[in-house]
Amino acid sequence: FSALILTGIASFSSEVKHQLLILALSILLMLLVHSRIYLWLRIVSITALWAITVSIPLIFLTPGGLFNVSLGFVDLKISLEGFYLLTTFTLRVVSAGAVFTAFIFILGWRKTIEGLRGLKVPDGIVSLLFLSVIYIPHLIREIVRMLSAREARIVRRARFRDLWYVLASIVGDL
């Protein structure tokens, strides 16, 4: 329950100190539990990279240009407020993702689903989440087995287009 509250606070709070506190809490949780910290850091880093990539246009589109950058064919106005919006958005996304994945790493998916059932979340949502958690890894394993079996039957050097036919036939079989 606390994971959902902290994720909600990190997602919807406009206070930078709340987001920094939640990010520090998630780091502390991961260090105290001695969980897979490097895998968690990789997920959080990818989340940060994605959030920065999505929000880079804020620097150039927000009014109040601080200085101009000329690229020859276009003049860009970089604003300080846009940079502030970029950092707060990225911090919001990273802190929400970090605290949620920290709790998932600590509890695991099955205990999280049991907790959602204990919170009386509608059974349809919990059942869909449960089925996704259980059957998506099985589906991926089956796809890999089918793909490796079909690639093993290809004796000659296959062209890129032929490999797409193999992939399409696997998707058709599923």
Side-chain angles (χ1 to χ4, degrees), residues 9 12-20 91-92:
I9 291 171
F12 299 113
S13 175
S14 61
E15 294 287 328
V16 175
K17 62 182 176 184
H18 292 154
Q19 295 158 358
L20 287 173
L91 185 61
R92 183 182 297 173

Side-chain angles (χ1 to χ4, degrees), residues 15-169:
E15 294 287 328
V16 175
K17 62 182 176 184
H18 292 154
Q19 295 158 358
L20 287 173
L21 186 65
I22 290 171
L23 185 60
L25 176 70
S26 60
I27 292 169
L28 183 67
L29 278 172
M30 289 302 291
L31 290 174
L32 287 176
V33 177
H34 300 295
S35 188
R36 301 167 299 197
I37 187 82
Y38 293 112
L39 181 59
W40 179 79
L41 282 174
R42 190 168 21 157
I43 291 170
V44 171
S45 300
I46 290 170
T47 304
L49 183 67
W50 182 254
I52 289 170
T53 304
V54 167
S55 60
I56 280 178
L58 285 173
I59 297 173
F60 307 110
L61 297 176
T62 306
L66 188 61
F67 57 90
N68 293 335
V69 175
S70 178
L71 299 177
F73 59 91
V74 67
D75 288 331
L76 299 174
K77 293 182 179 181
I78 296 177
S79 70
L80 194 59
E81 185 177 342
F83 185 73
Y84 174 76
L85 288 173
L86 177 135
T87 54
T88 55
F89 174 76
T90 303
L91 185 61
R92 183 182 297 173
V93 169
V94 168
S95 62
V99 73
F100 187 75
T101 54
F103 275 99
I104 294 297
F105 269 60
I106 292 168
L107 294 176
W109 279 110
R110 291 183 190 265
K111 289 186 180 179
T112 303
I113 291 171
E114 290 173 13
L116 289 174
R117 283 199 174 118
L119 291 173
K120 305 290 187 217
V121 173
D123 196 43
I125 295 171
V126 176
S127 296
L128 285 174
L129 182 62
F130 178 73
L131 289 173
S132 299
V133 166
I134 296 298
Y135 288 112
I136 286 176
H138 291 301
L139 178 69
I140 291 171
R141 225 174 284 125
E142 187 67 25
I143 289 171
V144 167
R145 281 200 340 232
M146 291 171 71
L147 184 61
S148 63
R150 295 208 178 153
E151 283 181 352
R153 291 187 202 124
I154 300 174
V155 178
R156 61 182 165 72
R157 179 128 175 109
R159 295 178 302 166
F160 187 69
R161 187 175 184 170
D162 294 336
L163 293 176
W164 272 105
Y165 289 138
V166 170
L167 289 172
S169 68

